[in-house]
Amino acid sequence: MDLPPATLRPRNMPHLLSPQQVAAYHRDGAVWPVRVMSEVDAQGYRRALEAHEAKSGEPLQGNWRHKTHLLFTWADALVRHPKILDAVEDCIGPDILCWTTNFFIKEANSPGFVSWHQDATYWGLEPDDVITAWVAFTEVTPENGYMQVIPGSHRIDQLPHRDTFHKDNLLSRGQEIAVEVDKSQARGIALRPGEISLHHIKLVHGSDANRSADRRIGLAIRYIPPSVRQTKVRDSAQLVRGTDRFCHFDPEPRPQADLDAAALAAHADAVGRQVKALYSGTEKTAFRA
Ligand code: NI
């Protein structure tokens, strides 16, 4: 469907999502699949990541899995991808900050999993107008540990979580919901490369290990409207569409070249603030490897 330019479009007209998909996001707390690029383009992003990994001789590690868009020009392009932003705008409006990115990489036949959790638990962001665009770099299936969600759970209150710091848990603190999750209500999010899912910061979700012969790679991009506040630290973010009339976050520079000195310094500063927020109350000073 061809859409008129933004200036000619009524404000309430979706850019990419159908009205039914927008309604599903608000009702269920998640919507998928949404195709934002071709499979070939998605494979190009995978190749860009793996070219770096081949050079460094190991999978992307530790802090570099987070706010990766401040380090690499290809990741910077991805968080500004017009179709991703169109879908996000349909859900949170025309002014958009990219707050962070988190790679969720599960190696072939590996034990890494994600316990049932709500993203809102340690992020410090208020109000809960926070959306994740989860971009599939590879196929995402039940076998390779797709994300599972409890539809509608974003409308219940913040649930109590406990930290486990389990070695195979891919979350920052290995946090898990401290009460029973009714798994019979869960729905799995299968995606093709180049598709995204969108989910709300309070949606209950988790995923199992990768039992397949290939890596499963997804990049979770966290977007907020500029009206959202960080309650734990003076945080930073990047304006990717529209205007920021609030200035609750310090602006982050875009990388001019992959891993150049300015990019590394900006990334270290930004991740330092985020670690302080996410690990508050613990001794941690860096993301877990
Ligand atoms: Ni999550």
Side-chain angles (χ1 to χ4, degrees), residues 277-289:
L278 266 53
Y279 288 104
S280 63
T282 78
E283 300 292 301
K284 303 273 177 190
T285 55
F287 279 103
R288 300 197 298 158

Side-chain angles (χ1 to χ4, degrees), residues 3 15 24 32 38 41 44 49 68 78 98 112 115 125 134 145 160 170 223 235 244 248 254 256 263:
L3 290 171
H15 293 68
W32 76 92
S38 68
D41 285 354
L49 167 69
T68 314
L78 187 56
C98 175
S115 48
L125 300 177
W134 199 102
L170 300 181
Y223 294 105
D235 208 344
D244 178 357
H248 292 158
R254 302 175 63 178
Q256 299 304 304

Side-chain angles (χ1 to χ4, degrees), residues 104 114 117-119 123 147 171 199 205 222:
F104 284 90
V114 176
H117 69 285
Q118 292 170 300
D119 292 336
W123 287 2
M147 185 162 84
L171 296 178
H199 75 261
H205 60 289
R222 325 293 188 172

Side-chain angles (χ1 to χ4, degrees), residues 22 25-26 29 87-100 119-120 123-133 154 158 199-203 221-231 245-246 248-249:
V22 175
Y25 173 74
H26 293 294
V88 168
E89 178 171 348
D90 289 336
C91 298
I92 67 167
D95 298 323
I96 304 171
L97 294 172
C98 175
W99 176 59
T100 196
D119 292 336
W123 287 2
L125 300 177
E126 288 179 8
D128 61 12
D129 207 5
V130 182
I131 189 171
T132 294
H154 66 303
Q158 173 69 48
H199 75 261
H200 185 275
I201 188 175
K202 278 171 67 191
L203 188 72
I221 312 177
R222 325 293 188 172
Y223 294 105
I224 55 176
S227 53
V228 166
R229 285 178 179 280
Q230 168 59 273
T231 61
R245 291 174 293 108
F246 295 88
H248 292 158
F249 294 80

Side-chain angles (χ1 to χ4, degrees), residues 168-188:
D168 293 327
N169 195 319
L170 300 181
L171 296 178
S172 56
R173 304 162 68 125
Q175 61 267 33
E176 62 182 21
I177 290 173
V179 294
E180 197 60 37
V181 172
D182 181 2
K183 292 175 194 121
S184 70
Q185 301 299 310
R187 289 187 61 200

Side-chain angles (χ1 to χ4, degrees), residues 19-33:
Q20 291 75 19
Q21 285 176 307
V22 175
Y25 173 74
H26 293 294
R27 181 190 63 234
D28 300 334
V31 62
W32 76 92

Side-chain angles (χ1 to χ4, degrees), residues 21-281:
Q21 285 176 307
V22 175
Y25 173 74
H26 293 294
R27 181 190 63 234
D28 300 334
V31 62
W32 76 92
V34 179
R35 178 156 294 285
V36 295
M37 67 182 79
S38 68
E39 295 203 6
V40 170
D41 285 354
Q43 283 152 10
Y45 282 105
R46 177 177 181 171
R47 270 200 306 278
L49 167 69
E50 293 185 339
H52 161 73
E53 292 178 326
K55 217 189 223 175
S56 69
E58 59 179 0
L60 193 67
Q61 292 294 314
N63 282 356
W64 285 16
R65 288 198 179 199
H66 308 277
K67 293 221 181 211
T68 314
H69 61 294
L70 301 182
L71 293 171
F72 297 97
T73 53
W74 53 266
D76 170 72
L78 187 56
V79 304
R80 294 158 185 280
H81 193 289
K83 283 204 171 170
I84 296 176
L85 294 181
D86 285 349
V88 168
E89 178 171 348
D90 289 336
C91 298
I92 67 167
D95 298 323
I96 304 171
L97 294 172
C98 175
W99 176 59
T100 196
T101 46
N102 311 102
F103 261 112
F104 284 90
I105 301 172
K106 292 178 177 170
E107 301 300 337
N109 290 305
S110 67
F113 70 100
V114 176
S115 48
W116 291 102
H117 69 285
Q118 292 170 300
D119 292 336
T121 309
Y122 296 108
W123 287 2
L125 300 177
E126 288 179 8
D128 61 12
D129 207 5
V130 182
I131 189 171
T132 294
W134 199 102
V135 187
F137 282 35
T138 62
E139 190 183 21
V140 181
T141 65
E143 198 193 14
N144 72 14
Y146 66 179
M147 185 162 84
Q148 298 180 62
V149 303
I150 309 289
S153 55
H154 66 303
R155 286 185 271 110
I156 56 181
D157 283 339
Q158 173 69 48
L159 295 164
H161 285 58
R162 58 175 164 246
D163 295 341
T164 69
F165 290 102
H166 187 292
K167 68 177 171 48
D168 293 327
N169 195 319
L170 300 181
L171 296 178
S172 56
R173 304 162 68 125
Q175 61 267 33
E176 62 182 21
I177 290 173
V179 294
E180 197 60 37
V181 172
D182 181 2
K183 292 175 194 121
S184 70
Q185 301 299 310
R187 289 187 61 200
I189 298 186
L191 298 171
R192 299 288 310 168
E195 291 179 337
I196 65 171
S197 61
L198 296 164
H199 75 261
H200 185 275
I201 188 175
K202 278 171 67 191
L203 188 72
V204 172
H205 60 289
S207 65
D208 293 330
N210 180 358
R211 293 172 281 110
S212 81
D214 191 15
R215 313 175 84 186
R216 190 222 68 171
I217 304 171
L219 183 68
I221 312 177
R222 325 293 188 172
Y223 294 105
I224 55 176
S227 53
V228 166
R229 285 178 179 280
Q230 168 59 273
T231 61
K232 291 183 166 181
V233 295
R234 179 69 194 180
D235 208 344
S236 57
Q238 205 173 61
L239 185 68
V240 289
R241 179 172 280 183
T243 50
D244 178 357
R245 291 174 293 108
F246 295 88
C247 301
H248 292 158
F249 294 80
D250 292 335
E252 295 167 340
R254 302 175 63 178
Q256 299 304 304
D258 290 351
L259 301 175
D260 72 8
L264 289 170
H267 178 262
D269 173 62
V271 166
R273 301 177 194 219
Q274 198 144 87
V275 164
K276 249 186 221 163
L278 266 53
Y279 288 104
S280 63

